[in-house]
Amino acid sequence: MSTPPWRFPPLLAALIGVAVIALAVFFGWGPRAPAPVPPEGAAPAAPGAGRTIAHAQGSTVVTEHPKRVVVFDLAALDTLDALGVDVQGVAGEYFPGPLAKYADAKKYPRYGTLFEPDYEALHAARPDLVITGGRSSARYTKLAAMVPTIDQATDDAHFLDTVVGNTQRLATVFGKEAQARALVEALHQSIATLKGTTASRGKGLIVLTSGGRMSAYGPGSRFGVLHDTFGIPPAAPALKASLHGEAVGSEFILETNPDWLFVIDRDAAIGEGGGAQRLLDNELVHQTAAWKQGQVVYLEPANTYLIGGGIQSLRRLMEQVSNVYAKPRQPPAP
């Protein structure tokens, strides 16, 4: 008669089974569930520590103090420069005036244009953070699917608030809160001083010239900061707030008859010469109060048209306007 095979007593077998399951859980043995895939347009979480940053197009998890940063917006680049933050790369080929150092392509590699990123180069660079804004905001969704991205768009109707908010956001990302507070406080103080002068010095009109044509801008518009923040009363308050302004001619300027005429030469801003002064030097404009009193002001074109929205750019614009208002009043020309 054969001896039956030896078996674990039922209680002992159950205890061994529980122990095996516990070890499997502890050491992570066995198949694992797939990692969750972020929804399209959402930035993947950065490995390791990070913080969630709210911005113009949502929120993004950004690694603490990112080092490899690519910027697709000149206004954001202007603000980063003010905060003392260096970047890995930039977009575009034209870096006017205060941003001239970024023209060095060896030190600051190019990753496309302000309108169209070079996605292959960006993928190979593996930056910690990409920053969009203005002209590149339309590419945020595609960029955010590749790499943590924040958007620094500005709201024309609340321009000062968004410039300040964008500055504070970048300061939070890069640990530059003290620098941002100093910049913002100085800007607010200077603007308050300027508004004490502009309110009683007559009405202003803003025009942009481009290729021999003109368009006018009023409060709440792309360049409405002169009215909304600097306190210059509008000579044409009914102008619609639109990206490209309202097409006008010299007849409109004469009918509006501003005390101040603020001019932005787009052609000069983008490095294509400039014809604003020739365009406005005509019999109709000569009859305006602005011309007769020597109060036709040509705003620094690249700073106003290309870099507008950066905290240094806004400060420079404010300083230019402050300087012209500080000059003695000119008697009207005969």
Side-chain angles (χ1 to χ4, degrees), residues 213-236:
R213 299 182 298 274
M214 286 188 287
S215 53
Y217 294 80
S221 71
R222 182 178 182 181
F223 306 111
V225 61
L226 274 75
H227 301 305
D228 306 325
T229 300
F230 297 166
I232 299 170

Side-chain angles (χ1 to χ4, degrees), residues 264-318:
I264 305 159
D265 190 330
R266 178 185 177 275
D267 297 333
I270 61 177
E272 294 183 357
Q277 295 190 37
R278 292 190 302 274
L279 182 63
L280 292 168
D281 188 0
N282 63 66
E283 183 179 348
L284 296 177
V285 176
H286 290 177
Q287 298 177 53
T288 65
W291 187 278
K292 291 179 179 179
Q293 297 180 67
Q295 293 180 167
V296 177
V297 181
Y298 295 89
L299 298 175
E300 204 293 313
N303 183 67
T304 310
Y305 182 76
L306 291 179
I307 317 175
I311 193 163
Q312 292 185 110
S313 169
L314 181 56
R315 189 202 71 228
R316 288 188 294 267
L317 177 61
M318 181 272 303

Side-chain angles (χ1 to χ4, degrees), residues 17-50:
V18 170
V20 170
I21 293 172
L23 288 171
V25 171
F26 182 81
F27 289 105
W29 299 336
R32 299 181 181 180
V37 178
E40 184 177 355

Side-chain angles (χ1 to χ4, degrees), residues 103-305:
D104 184 349
K106 292 183 179 179
K107 186 175 182 181
Y108 299 102
R110 306 293 188 262
Y111 291 93
T113 71
L114 297 176
F115 295 94
E116 193 60 42
D118 184 335
Y119 296 103
E120 290 186 7
L122 200 62
H123 178 75
R126 301 180 64 83
D128 299 322
L129 177 66
V130 163
I131 300 173
T132 61
R135 296 161 179 82
S136 61
S137 286
R139 299 293 179 261
Y140 166 80
T141 299
K142 189 170 182 179
L143 287 166
M146 296 175 55
V147 65
T149 304
I150 60 175
D151 187 52
Q152 293 279 97
T154 54
D155 179 354
D156 293 334
H158 305 91
F159 190 78
L160 177 60
D161 290 340
T162 52
V163 170
V164 169
N166 285 347
T167 301
Q168 293 171 334
R169 180 184 302 112
L170 292 178
T172 299
V173 170
F174 295 99
K176 299 286 186 175
E177 291 87 350
Q179 292 92 325
R181 281 194 297 272
L183 289 167
V184 170
E185 288 174 7
L187 183 65
H188 279 307
Q189 290 173 3
S190 298
I191 289 174
T193 300
L194 174 60
K195 289 177 71 173
T197 301
T198 56
S200 60
R201 292 287 300 277
K203 298 180 180 181
L205 177 67
I206 307 163
V207 297
L208 178 140
T209 67
S210 178
R213 299 182 298 274
M214 286 188 287
S215 53
Y217 294 80
S221 71
R222 182 178 182 181
F223 306 111
V225 61
L226 274 75
H227 301 305
D228 306 325
T229 300
F230 297 166
I232 299 170
L239 286 170
K240 294 181 181 178
S242 62
L243 178 63
H244 300 292
E246 288 193 26
V248 298
S250 296
E251 295 83 358
F252 175 84
I253 297 177
L254 176 58
E255 291 170 5
T256 305
N257 193 27
D259 300 292
W260 295 86
L261 181 59
F262 297 95
V263 185
I264 305 159
D265 190 330
R266 178 185 177 275
D267 297 333
I270 61 177
E272 294 183 357
Q277 295 190 37
R278 292 190 302 274
L279 182 63
L280 292 168
D281 188 0
N282 63 66
E283 183 179 348
L284 296 177
V285 176
H286 290 177
Q287 298 177 53
T288 65
W291 187 278
K292 291 179 179 179
Q293 297 180 67
Q295 293 180 167
V296 177
V297 181
Y298 295 89
L299 298 175
E300 204 293 313
N303 183 67
T304 310
Y305 182 76

